[in-house]
Amino acid sequence: MSKLNNLVFVPAATVLLCGCGKQIDPRAMEIVQARRDAAEQAKPKTSPAPEFKTSSDLPERVPTLSLVGDKWDWDNDSSFYYITGRVTNNTARQLGLAMVSFNIYDDSGAQIGTTRDLVNNLDGHGVWRFKALVAQKNFRSAKLVELKGR
Protein backbone atom coordinates (compact mmCIF):
# COMPACT_ATOMS: atom_id res chain seq x y z
CA MET A 1 0.00 0.00 0.00
CA SER A 2 2.82 2.41 0.78
CA LYS A 3 4.33 1.86 -2.68
CA LEU A 4 1.05 2.81 -4.28
CA ASN A 5 0.87 6.03 -2.21
CA ASN A 6 4.35 7.04 -3.43
CA LEU A 7 3.42 6.43 -7.04
CA VAL A 8 0.28 8.47 -6.80
CA PHE A 9 1.92 11.29 -4.83
CA VAL A 10 4.81 11.95 -7.25
CA PRO A 11 2.65 12.63 -10.31
CA ALA A 12 0.29 14.76 -8.25
CA ALA A 13 3.20 16.84 -6.96
CA THR A 14 4.55 17.21 -10.47
CA VAL A 15 1.20 18.44 -11.75
CA LEU A 16 0.95 20.95 -8.89
CA LEU A 17 4.49 22.31 -9.42
CA CYS A 18 4.20 22.58 -13.17
CA GLY A 19 0.86 24.27 -12.97
CA CYS A 20 -0.73 21.97 -15.52
CA GLY A 21 0.67 23.96 -18.44
CA LYS A 22 -0.51 27.36 -17.20
CA GLN A 23 1.68 30.44 -17.52
CA ILE A 24 3.62 31.66 -14.50
CA ASP A 25 2.32 34.82 -12.89
CA PRO A 26 4.47 37.80 -14.07
CA ARG A 27 4.51 39.19 -10.54
CA ALA A 28 6.17 35.96 -9.34
CA MET A 29 8.81 36.34 -12.06
CA GLU A 30 9.47 39.92 -10.93
CA ILE A 31 9.96 38.70 -7.35
CA VAL A 32 12.38 35.98 -8.51
CA GLN A 33 14.33 38.49 -10.60
CA ALA A 34 14.43 41.00 -7.72
CA ARG A 35 15.85 38.28 -5.43
CA ARG A 36 18.51 37.39 -8.02
CA ASP A 37 19.46 41.06 -8.39
CA ALA A 38 19.70 41.48 -4.59
CA ALA A 39 21.89 38.37 -4.33
CA GLU A 40 24.17 39.68 -7.09
CA GLN A 41 24.52 43.04 -5.36
CA ALA A 42 25.27 41.35 -2.02
CA LYS A 43 28.30 39.55 -3.49
CA PRO A 44 31.60 41.09 -2.40
CA LYS A 45 32.99 43.43 -5.00
CA THR A 46 36.43 42.57 -6.33
CA SER A 47 38.68 45.43 -7.17
CA PRO A 48 40.24 45.46 -10.61
CA ALA A 49 43.74 44.05 -10.92
CA PRO A 50 46.41 46.63 -10.24
CA GLU A 51 48.03 48.11 -13.28
CA PHE A 52 51.59 47.03 -13.99
CA LYS A 53 53.98 49.88 -13.48
CA THR A 54 57.37 50.14 -15.04
CA SER A 55 60.37 50.83 -12.86
CA SER A 56 60.39 54.42 -14.08
CA ASP A 57 56.88 54.88 -12.57
CA LEU A 58 57.97 53.67 -9.13
CA PRO A 59 59.91 55.67 -6.56
CA GLU A 60 63.61 54.86 -6.59
CA ARG A 61 64.39 52.20 -4.00
CA VAL A 62 67.51 52.64 -1.90
CA PRO A 63 69.49 49.40 -1.65
CA THR A 64 69.91 47.90 1.81
CA LEU A 65 73.70 47.82 1.44
CA SER A 66 76.10 49.80 -0.72
CA LEU A 67 79.80 49.64 -1.40
CA VAL A 68 81.36 52.83 -0.02
CA GLY A 69 82.75 54.80 -2.93
CA ASP A 70 81.74 51.93 -5.25
CA LYS A 71 85.26 50.50 -4.99
CA TRP A 72 87.31 47.80 -3.43
CA ASP A 73 91.05 47.15 -3.28
CA TRP A 74 93.60 44.34 -3.12
CA ASP A 75 95.54 43.87 0.08
CA ASN A 76 98.68 41.70 0.19
CA ASP A 77 98.98 40.67 3.83
CA SER A 78 102.00 38.37 4.20
CA SER A 79 101.55 35.52 1.70
CA PHE A 80 97.80 35.96 1.10
CA TYR A 81 95.76 38.37 -0.97
CA TYR A 82 92.51 39.91 0.20
CA ILE A 83 89.77 41.98 -1.36
CA THR A 84 89.06 44.83 1.02
CA GLY A 85 86.58 47.66 1.14
CA ARG A 86 83.75 49.24 3.10
CA VAL A 87 80.01 48.57 3.02
CA THR A 88 77.30 50.83 4.44
CA ASN A 89 73.95 49.70 5.87
CA ASN A 90 71.51 52.17 4.28
CA THR A 91 68.67 51.31 6.66
CA ALA A 92 67.94 52.38 10.23
CA ARG A 93 67.51 48.78 11.37
CA GLN A 94 70.23 46.41 12.43
CA LEU A 95 70.93 43.66 9.89
CA GLY A 96 71.36 40.17 11.28
CA LEU A 97 73.69 39.30 8.39
CA ALA A 98 75.52 41.26 5.70
CA MET A 99 77.52 39.56 2.94
CA VAL A 100 79.78 40.59 0.08
CA SER A 101 80.75 38.04 -2.60
CA PHE A 102 83.23 38.17 -5.51
CA ASN A 103 84.05 35.92 -8.47
CA ILE A 104 87.79 35.39 -9.00
CA TYR A 105 89.31 35.18 -12.52
CA ASP A 106 92.70 34.12 -13.97
CA ASP A 107 94.76 35.70 -16.80
CA SER A 108 92.53 34.19 -19.51
CA GLY A 109 89.36 35.58 -17.91
CA ALA A 110 88.17 32.15 -16.75
CA GLN A 111 86.49 32.03 -13.35
CA ILE A 112 88.68 30.07 -10.95
CA GLY A 113 86.81 30.63 -7.69
CA THR A 114 84.76 32.81 -5.44
CA THR A 115 85.35 34.55 -2.15
CA ARG A 116 83.10 36.24 0.34
CA ASP A 117 83.05 37.91 3.69
CA LEU A 118 80.20 38.05 6.22
CA VAL A 119 79.38 40.10 9.26
CA ASN A 120 76.62 39.60 11.82
CA ASN A 121 74.54 42.35 13.46
CA LEU A 122 75.56 45.31 11.29
CA ASP A 123 74.13 48.39 13.02
CA GLY A 124 71.60 50.63 11.31
CA HIS A 125 73.51 53.13 9.12
CA GLY A 126 76.71 51.33 10.21
CA VAL A 127 79.85 50.89 8.11
CA TRP A 128 81.57 47.51 7.83
CA ARG A 129 85.17 47.02 6.71
CA PHE A 130 85.22 43.72 4.84
CA LYS A 131 88.28 41.59 4.08
CA ALA A 132 87.66 38.59 1.80
CA LEU A 133 90.51 36.07 1.44
CA VAL A 134 91.55 35.13 -2.12
CA ALA A 135 92.90 31.57 -1.93
CA GLN A 136 93.79 31.22 -5.62
CA LYS A 137 97.44 32.18 -6.26
CA ASN A 138 96.91 32.54 -10.04
CA PHE A 139 94.14 35.16 -9.79
CA ARG A 140 94.29 38.33 -11.85
CA SER A 141 90.92 40.00 -11.37
CA ALA A 142 87.69 39.89 -9.42
CA LYS A 143 84.09 40.99 -9.92
CA LEU A 144 81.56 41.91 -7.23
CA VAL A 145 78.63 39.51 -7.71
CA GLU A 146 76.57 39.89 -4.54
CA LEU A 147 76.02 42.41 -1.82
CA LYS A 148 73.13 41.55 0.45
CA GLY A 149 71.83 42.10 3.94
CA ARG A 150 68.92 40.77 5.93
Side-chain angles (χ1 to χ4, degrees), residues 72-85 102 104 115-117 130-137 139 142:
W72 46 270
D73 296 310
W74 298 103
D75 182 16
N76 185 354
D77 181 13
S78 65
S79 60
F80 298 104
Y81 281 92
Y82 296 90
I83 301 174
T84 61
F102 295 87
I104 308 298
T115 187
R116 68 182 57 164
D117 195 12
F130 68 86
K131 189 174 185 178
L133 173 67
V134 178
Q136 296 78 9
K137 296 294 181 192
F139 80 93

Side-chain angles (χ1 to χ4, degrees), residues 59-129:
E60 188 172 329
R61 183 175 173 197
V62 176
T64 302
L65 296 172
S66 61
L67 200 57
V68 175
D70 290 328
K71 71 178 189 111
W72 46 270
D73 296 310
W74 298 103
D75 182 16
N76 185 354
D77 181 13
S78 65
S79 60
F80 298 104
Y81 281 92
Y82 296 90
I83 301 174
T84 61
R86 296 184 307 156
V87 170
T88 299
N89 177 357
N90 296 317
T91 69
R93 65 181 170 83
Q94 183 182 64
L95 299 175
L97 175 73
M99 181 182 75
V100 61
S101 179
F102 295 87
N103 284 344
I104 308 298
Y105 301 92
D106 67 8
D107 282 335
S108 70
Q111 183 177 343
I112 56 173
T114 59
T115 187
R116 68 182 57 164
D117 195 12
L118 308 167
V119 69
N120 292 319
N121 305 317
L122 180 59
D123 288 333
H125 301 291
V127 176
W128 161 47
R129 292 186 184 273

